[in-house]
Amino acid sequence: MKAAVIGHPINHSKSPLIHQYWLKKYDLSGSYEAIDIAPENLKAGVQTLIDQGYNGFNVTVPHKQAIMDLCDDVDSNAQKIGAVNTVVIKEGKLLGRNTDAYGFIQNIKQNAPQFDLKNKDVLILGAGGAAKAVAFGLAQEGVRKIIISNRTKEKAQALKNISPLITVIDWDEKQAAIEQVDMVVNATSLGMVGKPPLDISTSFLKKSALVTDIVYTPLITDLLKTEQQGDNLYVTGIGMLLHQARPAFEAWTGILPEVDDELQRLVLA
Ligand SMILES: NC(=O)c1ccc[n+]([C@@H]2O[C@H](COP(=O)([O-])OP(=O)(O)OC[C@H]3O[C@@H](n4cnc5c(N)ncnc54)[C@H](OP(=O)(O)O)[C@@H]3O)[C@@H](O)[C@H]2O)c1
């Protein structure tokens, strides 16, 4: 395997840790590094990767949309989500995919296996790139209703093309909605280190409801702290990051790797 993650900046990326861990675990030879490519150099930078015989690369901020124009083929999931985070290079051609929705869903399945997503009503807070993948993943899993609340309402309205299950409410209606739903997802950047907290209370959640935050720095966000002390099921965001990497590794090596405790510890250290 000869792969990389491209972005700008890129030194924060955990992807090298994850893929290098799996290369070692499955006793494979190969390399995976982080490569900084500025937006104005994207086309030339990608051509260099093709010329150097890379099997593919992951794509992070700010290239997730721009890379789509350079791909020879973009799969239907990535088209619907409007972003590519994984590129497979085959015979010099770039095949674009999005594995964030898969990562989000697999994280829930691994860490709350007793929670069946079918026919559930879900509240998603946020309408950025990550929220699109979350909404797409949930729609694929057969949830009943997806309610989206975002500070900028127009951005939430734009997500409606992802699924007819989506309805949009105002940002200040989110507190009332929380009490009606079976699952709450924070897909905003609120609650992340250096950002303001997410200002909501989960005190009146249904007892059977699940709460998840895709922010994973800190691992236990303020939103999840309440659940940690209460009875509701909760899932942290780190597993989404780990699971989204699996299909890429599989595409490049033929092995669908496992997310285990040691990997999680390594990435959180
Ligand atoms: N666990 C994972 O694998 C994973 C994967 C991807 C992303 N993430 C995390 O998810 C978060 C969102 O990522 P993204 O790529 O979707 O970012 P993004 O496209 O920049 O979207 C940011 C979202 O946060 C909202 N927001 C930001 N500041 C706000 C504020 N002060 N008040 C209310 N809403 C605010 C934005 O609302 P507006 O539309 O109104 O600006 C938007 O909905 C980030 O923290 C990122 O690290 C985690």
Side-chain angles (χ1 to χ4, degrees):
M1 172 176 124
K2 190 169 157 83
V5 55
I6 65 165
H8 183 72
I10 196 62
N11 48 6
H12 66 282
S13 176
K14 305 274 191 196
S15 293
L17 264 181
I18 299 170
H19 287 276
Q20 286 163 11
Y21 173 84
W22 284 330
L23 281 172
K24 201 167 158 204
K25 175 171 173 168
Y26 294 100
D27 200 18
L28 299 172
S29 61
S31 64
Y32 187 104
E33 76 254 54
I35 302 177
D36 194 313
I37 301 183
E40 61 275 20
N41 299 330
L42 183 60
K43 194 170 178 189
V46 166
Q47 188 56 49
T48 304
L49 299 181
I50 298 173
D51 295 343
Q52 291 180 350
Y54 277 74
N55 303 121
F57 52 92
N58 289 117
V59 185
T60 187
V61 179
H63 302 316
K64 282 185 171 188
Q65 280 87 37
I67 195 71
M68 294 177 83
D69 294 337
L70 301 180
C71 286
D72 298 284
D73 184 54
V74 173
D75 79 6
S76 58
N77 292 12
Q79 279 180 28
K80 204 101 200 216
I81 295 166
V84 159
N85 73 339
T86 301
V87 173
V88 178
I89 305 175
K90 273 219 173 95
E91 291 156 13
K93 301 260 188 268
L94 302 183
L95 316 175
R97 299 180 176 180
N98 188 305
T99 65
D100 282 334
Y102 173 87
F104 174 77
I105 297 296
Q106 291 303 311
N107 185 31
I108 302 296
K109 289 189 173 174
Q110 183 178 30
N111 293 297
Q114 65 275 55
F115 188 82
D116 185 359
L117 287 162
K118 286 224 162 33
N119 295 319
K120 295 293 193 293
D121 293 346
V122 186
L123 173 65
I124 300 177
L125 305 171
K132 280 187 199 166
V134 167
F136 179 79
L138 288 169
Q140 300 273 89
E141 288 298 312
V143 299
R144 186 169 57 185
K145 199 198 280 183
I146 300 172
I147 304 166
I148 301 186
S149 176
N150 191 50
R151 175 181 60 176
T152 312
K153 194 173 181 181
E154 302 75 58
K155 275 176 68 181
Q157 300 282 16
L159 264 64
K160 279 185 168 173
N161 70 347
I162 289 178
S163 165
L165 301 173
I166 295 177
T167 56
V168 172
I169 60 170
D170 287 341
W171 185 234
D172 59 13
E173 289 175 315
K174 62 185 180 304
Q175 186 61 57
I178 273 182
E179 295 160 24
Q180 314 295 324
V181 297
D182 306 300
M183 178 173 177
V184 179
V185 185
N186 177 36
T188 71
S189 47
L190 295 173
M192 195 174 159
V193 173
K195 302 273 178 174
L198 176 63
D199 188 19
I200 53 160
S201 162
T202 50
S203 308
F204 298 102
L205 268 181
K206 286 184 190 174
K207 283 268 175 287
S208 56
L210 179 143
V211 181
T212 185
D213 201 326
I214 71 163
V215 169
Y216 58 86
T217 47
L219 184 64
I220 303 295
T221 57
D222 285 341
L223 176 70
L224 298 185
K225 247 181 221 159
T226 322
E227 305 323 318
Q228 207 180 26
Q229 290 149 10
D231 296 330
N232 284 90
L233 273 177
Y234 70 93
V235 176
T236 69
I238 190 66
M240 176 176 174
L241 174 78
L242 303 177
H243 280 280
Q244 62 78 31
R246 294 171 66 216
F249 191 85
E250 184 185 30
W252 301 325
T253 65
I255 292 172
L256 183 63
E258 272 176 20
V259 168
D260 56 29
D261 292 347
E262 196 183 337
L263 175 62
Q264 182 154 320
R265 268 197 303 278
L266 186 76
V267 169
L268 290 173

